[in-house]
Amino acid sequence: MFPSILDIDGVTALEILVKTAASAACLAAAGSAFALLALARFDGATARSVRQTTVAAAALAASLSALRLPVRASFLTGGSVAGALDPAIVGMVAESPLGTSLGVRLAGLALICLVVVAHPAARIAAGIGTVLVCASFALRGHTLEEPRLVLGALVTLHLLGLAFWVGIFAPLHRLAGSNTHAAGALAAEFSRWAVWVVPALAAAGVALFVILTGDPLAALGTAYGRILAVKLALFTLLLGLAALNKYRLTPALQMGTLRAGGHLRRSIRLEALAVLAILATTATLTTIASPGMEVGSAEPNGGALHPERPA
């Protein structure tokens, strides 16, 4: 695994960076909209802040996602700037599954922005947008293999759960610094959802691993499996932080315990870093490795003739 990562060239590193940033922005946009639609414990100021976050994150996600086209074109031409600017190469990438994914994602991001409209139809449209953004990740890469529908559903479910988790970070962090009682109420409401969301998120991830690798134990001897093991370790850390929030910090907030708000804000920042690390690991995983690839055989720039290989 590690020789492959250490041998990553500049254009591959750029692709991983853009992919990570685009994924983070997408989850922030979809998750913020999801939180607004699902949770009731938002005061007026917090709700306005979350709407602003949703729109800003959607705009950033759209820009970063679109940037993936020229970056991918450069990747396909050996890292050349000319490739990134070549309309023919960029057009070829746009016609690949990456382009299809981008089109669905942009439509979803546009619908998500309707959370700013106070109308039931707009809320429904924003909810559909949230699903479309998460489903866009299933329209490229290894999830195009069979059983395609099952893989697509699992990826969408997995990302919806993660997006909802990410969407609570900003409002809960904000409230924990200004109104610990309101933060406790919001954290408690989120925890009631998390009891169902987190197991579904984890189960979908495990099912994806099993289906894609066929033999999880044997996969640990491959680059794909070992990088995924890092991702699972980070996810375990994230679960630990979530458990700390639910069983210690949330009750402390509700009881008005001194410094509970500060402790929760630090925990949320750690959770956000863990999610970012998971996204970076996933971006690396889907760019330099594939199920069954042997350690050291990943070809960061050697896959240039296969535009649909990385997710």
Side-chain angles (χ1 to χ4, degrees):
M1 175 187 74
F2 296 106
S4 296
I5 293 177
L6 293 176
D7 290 340
I8 289 176
D9 56 52
V11 69
T12 305
L14 177 61
E15 177 152 5
I16 292 171
L17 177 62
V18 172
K19 187 184 293 187
T20 301
S23 298
C26 284
L27 289 179
S32 296
F34 199 164
L36 279 170
L37 296 172
L39 303 177
R41 297 284 185 170
F42 285 123
D43 58 42
T46 302
R48 285 192 297 273
S49 176
V50 176
R51 290 189 184 95
Q52 292 169 358
T53 298
T54 301
V55 174
L60 180 60
S63 300
L64 290 170
S65 297
L67 183 60
R68 289 204 58 204
L69 295 181
V71 171
R72 166 56 46 174
S74 176
F75 182 89
L76 295 176
T77 54
S80 70
V81 175
L85 301 177
D86 189 325
I89 302 298
V90 174
M92 181 184 72
V93 175
E95 293 175 359
S96 74
L98 177 58
T100 303
S101 171
L102 175 61
V104 172
R105 181 176 299 177
L106 293 178
L109 290 170
L111 289 174
I112 279 176
C113 292
L114 291 175
V115 292
V116 301
V117 180
H119 190 281
R123 291 174 60 86
I124 293 172
I128 293 172
T130 298
V131 175
L132 287 177
V133 169
C134 293
S136 70
F137 288 85
L139 299 178
R140 50 182 169 76
H142 306 306
T143 50
L144 296 179
E145 301 170 4
E146 295 298 334
R148 184 172 177 177
L149 290 178
V150 173
L151 290 172
L154 287 172
V155 167
T156 303
L157 177 63
H158 183 69
L159 288 171
L160 278 170
L162 185 57
F164 184 50
W165 197 338
V166 169
I168 200 64
F169 287 168
L172 195 54
H173 187 273
R174 179 181 185 275
L175 282 175
S178 59
N179 187 335
T180 55
H181 179 73
L186 179 60
E189 184 182 15
F190 173 75
S191 293
R192 289 193 290 272
W193 279 81
V195 168
W196 303 98
V197 170
V198 174
L201 165 62
V206 171
L208 281 168
F209 183 38
V210 172
I211 293 173
L212 287 173
T213 62
D215 187 342
L217 291 179
L220 294 178
T222 68
Y224 185 90
R226 291 184 182 179
I227 298 175
L228 187 57
V230 174
K231 177 182 175 180
L232 293 176
L234 290 168
F235 184 69
T236 300
L237 171 63
L238 189 60
L239 289 177
L241 291 170
L244 174 67
N245 290 349
K246 176 177 174 58
Y247 295 109
R248 293 195 60 182
L249 299 183
T250 297
L253 282 170
Q254 292 176 307
M255 291 186 296
T257 303
L258 185 66
R259 297 181 181 175
H263 292 320
L264 180 62
R265 284 163 67 87
R266 282 192 292 274
S267 179
I268 290 172
R269 289 194 289 269
L270 287 174
E271 285 187 60
L273 287 174
V275 169
L276 191 59
I278 288 171
L279 294 178
T281 303
T282 302
T284 303
L285 176 72
T286 56
T287 301
I288 71 169
S290 63
M293 181 178 289
E294 296 300 327
V295 176
S297 66
E299 303 177 23
N301 211 24
L305 297 179
H306 302 283
E308 298 176 17
R309 179 176 61 82

